[in-house]
Amino acid sequence: MTQRDIVVGKTYRHFSGNYFRVICIAVDSTSQDNKEVVVYETLGNKHIIYTRPVELFNEKVDHEKYKDVLQTYKFEPI
């Protein structure tokens, strides 16, 4: 998998159609190798803050499972 830069403050579209803004990149202090996680928030009526490991945020869409999705990555900047 190719590592892509994640831009703090940028809005990303999830392949499901929802939009999120990246708040920051944090370090998971409970992991032995200090894995980085993306902290991001929903854009819309219901405000929720999520975290996801950087490698999963940068993951490609499984086009065999989601045949109708045109997006390459699960989260793409807009």
Side-chain angles (χ1 to χ4, degrees):
M1 178 184 77
T2 302
Q3 186 68 19
R4 301 179 310 142
D5 288 335
I6 299 167
V7 180
V8 172
K10 190 142 187 84
T11 299
Y12 287 79
R13 181 183 186 277
H14 187 262
F15 75 94
S16 66
N18 296 318
Y19 292 89
F20 301 91
R21 181 176 302 118
V22 172
I23 298 169
C24 67
I25 306 296
V27 173
D28 179 359
S29 63
T30 64
S31 69
Q32 293 197 355
D33 55 355
N34 291 326
K35 285 215 174 248
E36 290 186 331
V37 295
V38 181
V39 181
Y40 59 103
E41 62 186 341
T42 57
L43 296 177
N45 295 336
K46 191 173 183 182
H47 187 253
I48 301 172
I49 296 176
Y50 294 100
T51 64
R52 183 182 292 237
V54 167
E55 56 273 1
L56 295 181
F57 194 90
N58 276 332
E59 195 171 52
K60 288 187 175 183
V61 173
D62 179 350
H63 289 287
E64 288 186 26
K65 186 175 181 179
Y66 302 102
K67 295 183 184 331
D68 296 335
V69 174
L70 300 177
Q71 199 165 298
T72 301
Y73 292 94
K74 288 187 176 180
F75 290 87
E76 291 193 355
I78 59 165

